């Protein structure tokens, strides 16, 4: 009985934390404290979940390849299937890792400040830059054909032909359409394995 009460208490406590975190995040993205109403600064969210899965796939792939050495009955079909599955898992892990590394290289050590009052975006970090929304020539939103692996992102082309990339790893990604609402956005659907 005591164990059941302790278990229920821990579950209730966990649910309270989840609801509190979700409501705070919702308020930060859509409420009075969103980037659409007040100046806000954001840093990239490093997705540990994707990294753990990539590492898991790579390790499982190598385990499958090493099991071939332990097989006593060397039948051709099972060996080929294990090799294919192992290589497939390793490839999937490498693709996920390379996408995470690309996103981190683009957005990793930068702070993005969106100011709706001045209609200005400031980026600080490796190189500091800022631009007003009136300086934007074009925005291209790259959407993946395959939503399972690839990352959507925005490429903002300024009138001086420089470009800035905003990836979906920024917590405010889903507010970009509203923040840039007066600027036409071209949507391009493609398989995104490399961020251009």
């Amino acid at each position: 009985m005591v164990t059941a009460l302790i278990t229920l208490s821990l579950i209730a406590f966990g649910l309270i934390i989840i609801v509190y975190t979700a409501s705070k995040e919702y308020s930060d993205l859509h409420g009075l404290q969103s980037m659409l109403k007040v100046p806000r600064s954001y840093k990239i969210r490093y997705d540990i979940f994707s990294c753990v899965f990539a590492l898991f796939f790579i390790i499982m792939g190598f385990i499958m390849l090493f099991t071939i050495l332990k097989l006593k009955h060397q039948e051709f079909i099972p060996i080929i299937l294990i090799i294919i599955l192992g290589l497939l898992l390793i490839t999937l892990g490498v693709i996920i890792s390379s996408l995470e590394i690309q996103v981190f290289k683009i957005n990793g050590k930068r702070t993005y400040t969106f100011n709706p009052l001045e209609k200005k975006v400031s980026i600080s970090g490796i190189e500091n830059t800022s631009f007003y929304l009136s300086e934007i020539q074009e925005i291209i939103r790259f959407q993946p054909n395959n939503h399972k692996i690839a990352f959507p992102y925005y490429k903002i082309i300024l009138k001086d032909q420089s470009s800035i990339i905003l990836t979906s790893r920024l917590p405010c990604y889903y507010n970009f359409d509203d923040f840039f609402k007066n600027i036409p956005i071209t949507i391009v659907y493609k398989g995104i394995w490399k961020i251009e």
Side-chain angles (χ1 to χ4, degrees):
M1 181 72 170
V2 173
T3 307
L5 286 174
I6 291 173
T7 304
L8 286 175
S9 300
L10 290 174
I11 291 171
F13 181 70
L15 288 175
I16 289 170
I17 289 174
I18 289 171
V19 168
Y20 173 76
T21 305
S23 66
K24 183 175 179 340
E25 187 166 317
Y26 181 83
S27 173
D28 286 349
L29 291 177
H30 305 291
L32 296 174
Q33 296 299 314
S34 79
M35 66 181 260
L36 303 173
K37 298 193 171 59
V38 295
R40 291 291 310 260
S41 294
Y42 298 96
K43 286 190 175 189
I44 188 172
R45 252 191 244 176
Y46 191 69
D47 191 8
I48 194 72
F49 189 70
S50 292
C51 295
V52 167
F53 263 112
L55 186 62
F56 174 75
F57 288 146
I58 291 170
I59 290 171
M60 287 305 296
F62 279 114
I63 287 172
M64 291 188 125
L65 291 178
F66 285 125
T67 57
I68 295 170
L69 301 174
K70 301 290 182 185
L71 288 178
K72 293 181 180 176
H73 303 289
Q74 301 277 332
E75 293 184 27
F76 185 70
I77 303 265
I79 289 176
I80 294 298
L81 290 175
I82 291 172
I83 290 173
I84 290 171
L85 190 58
L87 291 175
L88 187 67
L89 286 172
I90 292 170
T91 304
L92 187 61
V94 168
I95 288 171
I96 293 171
S97 298
S98 69
L99 284 171
E100 285 292 333
I101 290 168
Q102 284 182 55
V103 168
F104 190 73
K105 282 182 182 177
I106 292 169
N107 295 128
K109 297 180 180 179
R110 296 184 179 125
T111 301
Y112 295 84
T113 303
F114 297 89
N115 189 337
L117 307 175
E118 296 180 11
K119 298 188 184 298
K120 182 179 180 182
V121 178
S122 301
I123 303 168
S124 59
I126 300 168
E127 70 277 343
N128 296 330
T129 185
S130 63
F131 58 90
Y132 291 94
L133 298 185
S134 60
E135 296 176 40
I136 297 175
Q137 176 182 336
E138 177 184 15
I139 297 177
I140 303 170
R141 183 173 70 198
F142 292 93
Q143 288 291 118
N145 289 336
N146 178 356
H147 293 283
K148 295 179 180 110
I149 297 176
F151 299 112
Y153 66 94
Y154 283 78
K155 184 174 187 177
I156 299 172
I157 301 170
L158 301 176
K159 290 180 180 171
D160 66 358
Q161 298 305 313
S162 62
S163 64
I164 291 135
I165 293 176
L166 302 173
T167 68
S168 60
R169 287 290 189 246
L170 285 165
C172 58
Y173 176 79
Y174 296 103
N175 287 339
F176 288 166
D177 281 344
D178 293 331
F179 190 80
F180 300 117
K181 68 182 170 192
N182 296 326
I183 302 163
I185 297 174
T186 306
I187 300 173
V188 175
Y189 292 96
K190 68 175 201 167
I192 301 172
W193 303 109
K194 183 172 175 88
I195 297 175
E196 305 169 343

